[in-house]
Amino acid sequence: MRVRGRLTWGWRARAGAVLAALLAGVLPSAVVLAPGAATAGAAAAGTPVCQVRDDRLREISGMVATDDGYVVINDGADDEAHRRIFFLDHRCAVARSVSFPSRPRDTEDLAIGRDGTVWVADIGDNDRSRTTVGVWRLAPGAKRPVLHRMTYPDRPHDAEALLLDASGRPLIVTKGGSGTVFLYAPSTALRSDATTPLTALGQVTVPSTTTSNPFSFLGRGVITGAASAPDGRRVVLRSYADAFEYDVPDGDVVRALTTGTPRITPLPDEPQGESITYSRDGRSLLTVSESAGQPAGTRSTILRYPATASTATAAPPTRSDDPVAPTAVRPAAGEVGGGGGRTWPLALGAGTLLVLLGLAAALWWRHTARR
């Protein structure tokens, strides 16, 4: 999410690097990375598919692949021309766009139903202050999406990832921050004229990795996007650094996420990777990053990575549009269901940071007191 008054990408990247360096100067590198973290290996960059050259699309936060190309959205954009659902062709050119009937708060992800319905997740909440979140439903052939408001049962959450379960029910995956994210879904059928309560369905512990990304270890513990394979037998969650694929052999997405062990595809050094989708044949993972805050002339580029081999019985692929370049794929290391291996290093690092901040404040006070 990018909002007015927030640090730019470059400042956030530098802040993350400074924080990582600060902690690394006090703690051993093995502690910062957490015991049992998956090693990076030879992570290969994705293969470029096409470049998004439309200036309205510099903050892409969600993407789905269609038979005709792609559908993308920006996150909470100030410019009205950017607050649309954009349909791209296979060359990443804008073919058409659909506006919202009212202003969305912070659109962060997309999902597409088997009937072609596009779901827009208006669920971003950096300040964790929203009383409601929403999903916009754009039916095939419709001219405007319909808003369905929802409310969390416990407290506000920042979220950037949306999935659909086997019945077509939207499933929200919170962003997290320390490697643990939570799943929520509507407790009853969605209505456009009422606010639907959400219910908590479980939690997911993201495996530790060492994949290089602009936000260092901070970028590996958050979830910024999600997608379902066209046949529904796999789902993927992504962080700023990696893609985590889970098998869904029986259609139960929640059980797959809360009890399954994912296969990991590194997505190294994507500038600000918040979007992921499967190709229409299910053979590839497609990603795209924001270009706002990047060097002048930078354009968002859709990248292709091979999807990992599924252990589930999958339908045979239909076709592959482009050759697939090899990349490093590795299984998750450690226990996916337990957070103990990474909670104590984070707590220790946070405590160390607080001590250093306290020391800095004391020195500043002494300096000003002498003036």
Side-chain angles (χ1 to χ4, degrees):
M1 175 184 176
R2 192 183 303 276
V3 296
R4 184 181 300 163
R6 282 189 67 200
L7 296 175
T8 64
W9 179 91
W11 277 104
R12 280 181 287 169
R14 286 191 288 272
V18 170
L19 179 58
L22 182 63
L23 292 177
V26 178
L27 302 176
S29 60
V31 172
V32 174
L33 294 174
T39 55
T47 302
V49 175
C50 58
Q51 192 175 78
V52 182
R53 307 189 66 84
D54 195 300
D55 286 336
R56 294 173 295 176
L57 290 168
R58 296 184 56 80
E59 300 179 76
I60 298 175
S61 59
M63 172 176 64
V64 292
T66 68
D67 291 336
D68 299 322
Y70 314 95
V71 186
V72 296
I73 52 165
N74 290 302
D75 66 11
D78 291 330
D79 191 334
E80 189 278 333
H82 300 185
R83 296 194 301 270
R84 295 170 177 267
I85 305 169
F86 293 89
F87 291 78
L88 312 182
D89 61 22
H90 288 288
R91 299 171 299 171
C92 286
V94 175
R96 66 186 180 98
S97 65
V98 174
S99 60
F100 294 92
S102 59
R103 179 168 181 165
R105 290 282 299 276
D106 188 6
T107 52
E108 289 288 357
D109 203 7
L110 290 174
I112 189 166
R114 295 189 178 184
D115 63 349
T117 295
V118 174
W119 294 81
V120 181
D122 190 352
I123 56 177
D125 188 13
N126 266 11
D127 297 329
R128 293 171 176 81
S129 60
R130 295 179 62 171
T131 56
T132 64
V133 293
V135 288
W136 299 82
R137 182 178 178 274
L138 181 66
K143 296 182 178 180
R144 292 288 186 272
V146 176
L147 175 62
H148 303 276
R149 299 182 187 275
M150 303 172 294
T151 183
Y152 288 104
D154 43 13
R155 63 188 185 280
H157 294 271
D158 190 21
E160 297 190 2
L162 181 71
L163 291 167
L164 299 178
D165 67 13
S167 67
R169 178 180 61 164
L171 177 65
I172 295 173
V173 185
T174 65
K175 189 172 183 178
S178 62
T180 299
V181 299
F182 298 93
L183 309 177
Y184 291 88
S187 57
T188 60
L190 293 173
R191 294 173 53 184
S192 59
D193 59 349
T195 299
T196 303
L198 292 165
T199 186
L201 299 178
Q203 68 183 49
V204 182
T205 300
V206 180
S208 301
T209 77
T210 58
T211 304
S212 176
N213 71 95
F215 308 105
S216 188
F217 68 93
L218 300 173
R220 304 181 195 117
V222 295
I223 293 300
T224 62
S228 299
D231 61 6
R233 295 180 181 271
R234 287 166 293 155
V235 295
V236 62
L237 306 180
R238 75 156 296 166
S239 67
Y240 286 119
D242 302 279
F244 307 100
E245 278 191 274
Y246 297 79
D247 288 330
V248 191
D250 57 359
D252 191 335
V253 175
V254 173
R255 182 164 64 181
L257 290 173
T258 55
T259 66
T261 299
R263 298 175 302 279
I264 305 174
T265 298
L267 311 174
D269 298 317
E270 294 193 357
Q272 183 164 333
E274 297 193 1
S275 305
I276 193 164
T277 188
Y278 281 92
S279 61
R280 292 301 290 167
D281 60 14
R283 286 177 145 182
S284 304
L285 296 172
L286 304 173
T287 69
V288 67
S289 294
E290 293 189 17
S291 59
Q294 299 300 306
T298 302
R299 300 288 182 177
S300 296
T301 301
I302 294 179
L303 300 176
R304 182 187 299 275
Y305 300 84
T308 60
S310 175
T311 58
T313 304
T318 54
R319 62 184 177 89
S320 180
D321 295 328
D322 299 296
V324 176
T327 191
V329 176
R330 49 186 161 75
E335 292 184 4
V336 176
R342 53 189 304 157
T343 301
W344 72 267
L346 290 171
L348 181 58
T352 303
L353 180 59
L354 288 175
V355 171
L356 292 173
L357 291 175
L359 178 60
L363 292 174
W364 176 85
W365 180 85
R366 291 182 61 185
H367 173 73
T368 55
R370 293 175 180 172
R371 296 177 61 183

